[in-house]
Amino acid sequence: TTPPSSDTASFLRCLAADLPPQVVYTNASESYTSVLESSIRNLLFVTPSTPTPVAIIAAADASHVQAAVRCGARHGVRVRPRSGGHDYEGLSYRSLRSSASATAHPFAVVDLAAPAIRGVRVDAARRTAWAGSGATLGELYYAIANRSLRLAFPGGLGPTVGLGGHLSGGGFGLLLRKHGLAADHVTDAVVVNADGDILDRAAMGEDLFWAIRGGGGGSFGVVLLWKLRLVPVPATVTVFTVHRPRNQSATTLLTKWQRVAPTLPRDAFLRVVLQKEDAQFECLYLGARAGLVATMAGRFPELGVTTEDAIEMTWIEAVLYFAFYGVGKPREMLLDRGAGPERFFKAKSDYVSEPVPSHAWERAWRWLAMDGVAGLIILDPYGGRMGAVAPAATPFPHRRELYSVQYYGFWFENGTEVAEKHLGWIRGMHREMEPYVSKNPRGAYVNYRDLDLGVNHGEDDDDGVAGYEKARVWGEAYFRGNFERLAAVKAKVDPHDFFRNEQSIPPLRSSQ
Ligand code: FDA
């Protein structure tokens, strides 16, 4: 059960022979650290003891990705794709030691953020776009708005998130109830597989095309390009943000919100962000102010939304509004890819199938109000289009839930003890909510990657191939009944588990 023998020196020689020197960064390169950290978001994984890549290939052409994969396969060095670097557990640029003493298996990063390969091409007439994986959501939204203010893409809120990881894990934002997941709108893709071959949808076949649209990043190949179907939006949309304090009405409102938000008309997306003693209700409505105010008055009068709360704007202005909280922000802010890691954070997720009782919300409030910790609980309603898509249509299975929950804790001070305190807090809050959320198994969202659910351990390997049974624990939390099909696809396209990380899909072997 030893991992495939890796020969880092030969791997680096292979890269040097097949790639232009300016795209390969090793420990010996002056800018290795700045390239490595360029898109890292979580300070937890910027430590001297974090296992880092033996090389970063900043691909400027598809052939560079092919060469990196082929050199890696030949010399036993696995490749991790990195698009926006936002993975919550840093799996696109770090690995885990299996135990304190063991050294990590060497790996390389193929970074897809170079301008030469991250372009976005919008065809407004056909309502489609081709986008490189390394493009951010902000760059995509900006490119769409430059062509038409009546087109949009139903992706996430964070403008610095990379398309590669986002689409690989499903991806959702404020258009979810009207249009479903971001991955639901992928109509073609270009992938470099474990043999280093380039495949489009026709060449890869429908099984692999199914798997890459939600089966989680880093398991099936390096996706270079995505063809996206854009969606129409009205010229005017309306937003509001209202705050309701815990000690007044928040718990009653939350309890009602659970029944109302998933059953509102599809044009209305009403989420809640809980922080300390405050419930922030945020809404995007695909229509004019009068429609939103009337909908709220009819369906959720207790929230007390007034005409003054509602602000009309274009869809792209709403993107800026929710990304940066304010009106009148310049659109160019969407092009800012961020300036490296700035905080420590840990997140966990849940799905809710039955309304949570109000006494459970009171317990959640107690966690949020604790001294010395900072965090959020974010509730995103489903229903609408989500409920109309079959749970097996894509790998993302949680279509029929009422809403999703994200617990997010963050801090700024360095140190193991500080980290343990914050990690303990977020885990405690998650434990507290267990009786009230989805079960058998408790669900989670793969794009909110959480290694507490379990990992592929080197020592469980069969010849360097991750074990299926062990992986089911977290695999079925993310993918439920779709996990087995993902593992079957993996066995077909990457039987030797070249594209592997701590939570990649293991190949389903015939004996299993
Ligand atoms: P990164 O490059 O770290 O990749 C993530 C995973 O995918 C890694 O395993 C990586 O190896 C793999 N991967 C990356 N590129 C690949 C490629 N081209 N081919 C194959 N595999 C690839 N989510 C959401 O649904 N809605 C939201 O609104 C937000 N908002 C948000 C804000 C912020 C600030 C953060 C940090 C995160 C979010 N997310 C989110 C979660 C986000 O969707 C998730 O972290 C994505 O996987 C990030 O994709 P990146 O390409 O940035 O990450």
Side-chain angles (χ1 to χ4, degrees), residues 430-448:
H430 183 253
R431 211 163 30 243
E432 183 94 37
M433 295 304 279
E434 185 175 355
Y436 314 108
V437 296
S438 70
K439 295 181 177 56
N440 304 316
R442 186 176 185 176
Y445 176 34
V446 69
N447 261 347
Y448 297 156

Side-chain angles (χ1 to χ4, degrees), residues 39 41-42 79-93 110-112 132-137 141 155-174 181-182 190-192 212 216-226 271 342-343 345 380 396 406 408 445-449 499-501 503-504:
S39 66
R41 304 304 288 190
N42 196 339
V79 158
R80 293 181 185 226
R82 182 168 79 168
S83 292
H86 281 45
D87 191 275
Y88 277 12
E89 296 280 10
L91 298 189
S92 53
Y93 54 83
V110 169
D111 192 285
L112 301 162
S133 276
T136 61
L137 289 174
Y141 299 153
L157 285 82
T160 54
V161 170
L163 277 185
H166 192 63
L167 293 167
S168 294
F172 75 90
L174 302 171
L181 299 177
V190 176
V191 180
V192 173
I212 60 170
S219 288
F220 299 101
V222 182
V223 183
L224 299 175
L225 291 167
W226 307 83
R271 74 197 308 233
E342 55 192 18
R343 57 171 64 179
F345 70 86
D380 284 301
F396 181 97
Q406 179 177 194
Y408 178 90
Y445 176 34
V446 69
N447 261 347
Y448 297 156
R449 185 92 71 183
F499 291 109
R500 167 183 175 143
N501 63 42
Q503 279 188 347
S504 55

Side-chain angles (χ1 to χ4, degrees), residues 214-216 395-398 441-446 449-450 453-456 467-487 502-506:
F396 181 97
H398 314 289
R442 186 176 185 176
Y445 176 34
V446 69
R449 185 92 71 183
D450 179 5
L453 298 172
V455 294
N456 295 321
Y468 175 76
E469 279 307 318
K470 179 107 184 291
R472 281 180 59 185
V473 177
W474 49 262
E476 290 181 355
Y478 290 144
F479 306 112
R480 300 203 183 280
N482 295 328
F483 180 63
E484 187 174 339
R485 180 171 173 198
L486 286 168
E502 286 67 20
Q503 279 188 347
S504 55
I505 304 292

Side-chain angles (χ1 to χ4, degrees), residues 97 99 421:
R97 294 176 215 287
S99 66
K421 178 180 82 176

Side-chain angles (χ1 to χ4, degrees), residues 332-352:
E332 282 61 38
M333 284 177 79
L334 295 173
L335 302 179
D336 184 350
R337 296 178 64 93
E342 55 192 18
R343 57 171 64 179
F344 300 87
F345 70 86
K346 169 74 190 166
K348 303 180 81 67
S349 57
D350 260 326
Y351 286 93
V352 174

